Amino acid sequence: MTSATPTLLYIDDDAALARLVERGLTRAGYKVVHAASGQEGLDRLGQGGIDVVALDQYMPGLDGLETLEQILKIPDAPPVVFVTASQDSAIAVTALKAGAADYLVKDVRGEFIPLLQVAVNGAIRQAALQKARDEAEAEVHASRDRYAALAAEREVLLREVNHRVGNSLQIIASLLHLQANSATQQDVKAALTNAMGRVAAVAQVHRRLYTSHDFKTVMLNQYLEALLEDLRRSAEGNKMSRLTLKADPIEIDPDRAVAIGIIVNELVMNAVKYAYPDGAGPIHVELKPQGDDLQLAISDDGVGFSDQADPRGTGMGQRIVSAMAAKLDASVERDPGHKGTRFVVRLARVSPALDKSTSAAAS
């Protein structure tokens, strides 16, 4: 940091001219230190406390350009104003390219001293600005490093949270499966199996997030495939041996993926229970984009909706589907033209609430 009285190191073998510089710049508020050679100037710089250097070109021993080269190797070297009697512009260009802050031509009577004062003032200001820029850039880089470290730590923590939540939910689903297998009453068995499927639907999302590089989205096609595989494994006998999925690669946020998974679970389980009273049959799940929307269809080729009434049914599945559809701001419709039963769910690819918040932030 430059002191209130800046110190100028004037490196020149002309002692008389050095005295003129000292008088002129002392009156301008500088402390002037004289060095009679390049090596002497380097030695003085090694002691510290120099804010700016004025450097002559022609000197015995090290000339100005050689001295400039050595000065610029010093860490946090002060700015250098090149001062010479030569009118050769090539020296000026070489000095400036080498790193000099400014260049001016001197005269033996000291008439250049006011120009030197302007030059050293400008060199000190420029050096201060450069230092401030360097410090700001260093702070920006340090902040980025800190942010990257925090983001990496957050990613590890989120991954661990999703891993633990997924494991815990899977344990719950397994316990429900065991309880369902040991139940003797069919309505209890069905209720436990349905509950297991709902828990597994949520667990699968956390498993997807645990293995994903992006915690903000879930690949819906991969999630549904894993969810249907869980349903196949949990089915009694081979009633789901013909459960199929046709889905395009689509990314969606985790909360909406959970709601979609629960809807799929309910409608698939409904088809398993009611579509084929005499055995197993095909159940199809299809997911595809339609412009800015998504269409999800769950269909079977069974006895049809009108024949699916079950006096033991509680309507819980329908209420869950309606609740999840409301969460998604989605429509759920039965296709009356389909042989068997086909439910079609239509929803926006991006959550309307999220889309509004993003638009508000952008404006």
Side-chain angles (χ1 to χ4, degrees):
M1 182 176 180
T2 305
S3 60
T5 302
T7 300
L8 165 70
L9 174 60
Y10 185 70
I11 306 175
D12 192 340
D13 61 334
D14 188 334
L17 194 56
R19 287 192 293 271
L20 291 177
V21 169
E22 182 177 3
R23 283 199 295 269
L25 290 186
T26 297
R27 287 195 296 268
Y30 280 85
K31 177 183 178 182
V32 179
V33 177
H34 176 227
S37 68
Q39 187 57 56
E40 185 180 334
L42 292 171
D43 293 341
R44 178 61 187 83
L45 281 170
Q47 300 173 25
I50 301 300
D51 298 302
V52 64
V53 177
L55 176 62
D56 185 33
Q57 165 62 10
Y58 297 106
M59 297 180 293
L62 294 175
D63 66 15
L65 290 174
E66 292 169 333
T67 304
L68 174 63
E69 181 181 359
Q70 295 301 314
I71 291 174
L72 295 177
K73 292 179 180 178
I74 300 172
D76 297 322
V80 178
V81 176
F82 217 74
V83 182
T84 180
S86 173
Q87 299 286 343
D88 186 356
S89 61
I91 294 178
V93 171
T94 302
L96 293 173
K97 284 184 175 180
D102 206 345
Y103 176 93
L104 57 90
V105 177
K106 69 178 181 178
D107 62 274
V108 295
R109 292 179 296 184
E111 294 177 358
F112 74 98
I113 291 175
L115 295 177
L116 178 60
Q117 178 187 342
V118 172
V120 295
N121 284 342
I124 289 175
R125 283 197 303 271
Q126 185 62 33
L129 288 173
Q130 184 61 49
K131 184 177 181 181
R133 275 197 299 269
D134 291 344
E135 290 175 349
E137 289 178 4
E139 179 58 31
V140 168
H141 289 308
S143 297
R144 286 176 180 170
D145 291 343
R146 289 193 295 271
Y147 175 79
L150 289 172
E153 182 180 358
R154 175 179 177 272
E155 180 176 333
V156 170
L157 290 173
L158 284 174
R159 196 178 297 279
E160 182 62 22
V161 166
N162 282 302
H163 181 51
R164 293 189 179 187
V165 170
N167 282 349
S168 298
L169 291 173
Q170 190 57 50
I171 290 171
I172 294 171
S174 298
L175 292 174
L176 289 170
H177 181 59
L178 290 173
Q179 193 68 46
N181 287 341
S182 63
T184 56
Q185 298 179 353
Q186 288 303 312
D187 55 345
V188 173
K189 183 186 290 286
L192 290 171
T193 300
N194 287 341
M196 180 198 67
R198 292 157 190 157
V199 172
V202 181
Q204 270 297 340
V205 168
H206 288 282
R207 267 194 237 159
R208 294 286 112 195
L209 292 174
Y210 172 63
T211 57
S212 172
H213 294 295
D214 180 9
F215 294 104
K216 296 179 180 178
T217 60
V218 172
M219 291 300 297
L220 194 51
N221 56 314
Q222 296 175 2
Y223 164 57
L224 291 178
E225 179 57 51
L227 178 61
L228 296 186
E229 183 58 33
D230 282 348
L231 291 174
R232 290 187 191 100
R233 286 198 299 266
S234 67
E236 295 181 41
N238 61 354
K239 290 190 72 176
M240 284 199 195
S241 59
R242 300 178 64 186
L243 178 59
T244 63
L245 172 68
K246 182 180 179 182
D248 291 350
I250 293 170
E251 287 185 301
I252 200 164
D253 62 276
D255 285 344
R256 303 178 81 228
V258 167
I260 291 170
I262 292 175
I263 288 175
V264 170
N265 176 77
E266 297 302 323
L267 294 178
V268 167
M269 292 302 297
N270 188 69
V272 170
K273 287 188 289 185
Y274 302 129
Y276 303 103
D278 299 328
I283 300 172
H284 308 290
V285 178
E286 183 180 6
L287 174 71
K288 62 182 180 181
Q290 286 192 334
D292 293 333
D293 297 336
L294 298 178
Q295 177 177 293
L296 174 68
I298 297 90
S299 61
D300 62 67
D301 301 327
V303 297
F305 187 80
S306 61
D307 297 322
Q308 290 181 8
D310 187 339
R312 297 172 300 175
T314 64
M316 175 64 74
Q318 294 179 14
R319 291 199 296 273
I320 290 175
V321 169
S322 297
M324 292 300 103
K327 176 181 175 65
L328 292 167
D329 196 19
S331 65
V332 182
E333 299 175 353
R334 185 170 60 88
D335 181 359
H338 181 76
K339 181 182 179 300
T341 302
R342 181 173 184 262
F343 283 97
V344 179
V345 182
R346 292 184 177 86
L347 63 149
R349 187 189 291 254
V350 178
S351 169
L354 181 63
D355 195 32
K356 289 177 183 177
S357 64
T358 303
S359 300
S363 63

